[in-house]
Amino acid sequence: ALFEELRIAFIEGVARQTDLLERSRCDGNWAMACMRLKGLAASFHSESLLILAEDALLSAPGEPMVVRKLKSFIEDMCSN
């Protein structure tokens, strides 16, 4: 039961930061959401999320490909 609660918290956290990225229009907000994603990746030992977050950090704010990849990551996590 605890594992499932942690999994849900992880997915919700990634979804929340992805939403912030999608709505972000300035470098500061974009970078902050990326760093939070990196923190989630580190906390939950998710190398694939860490790679996505680093790619996002190197991208321009609002980059649609980054957001699509993160949404795909969330969908994959929800289907498992």
Side-chain angles (χ1 to χ4, degrees):
L2 178 59
F3 180 75
E4 187 60 27
E5 286 181 40
L6 288 171
R7 185 176 166 282
I8 290 169
F10 174 68
I11 293 169
E12 287 174 351
V14 174
R16 189 172 23 262
Q17 296 312 311
T18 300
D19 179 58
L20 289 173
L21 282 176
E22 190 169 30
R23 295 184 290 125
S24 178
R25 297 295 173 249
C26 73
D27 292 341
N29 291 340
W30 181 267
M32 183 62 69
C34 292
M35 295 304 291
R36 288 181 181 151
L37 282 171
K38 284 182 76 170
L40 281 167
S43 295
F44 288 89
H45 305 284
S46 175
E47 188 172 338
S48 56
L49 178 60
L50 180 60
I51 291 167
L52 289 172
E54 288 175 347
D55 287 347
L57 197 53
L58 297 173
S59 299
E63 174 60 45
M65 182 59 76
V66 168
V67 174
R68 276 193 292 264
K69 287 180 180 180
L70 285 163
K71 286 182 175 184
S72 178
F73 175 83
I74 294 166
E75 288 174 13
D76 290 346
M77 288 297 299
C78 288
S79 66
N80 290 335

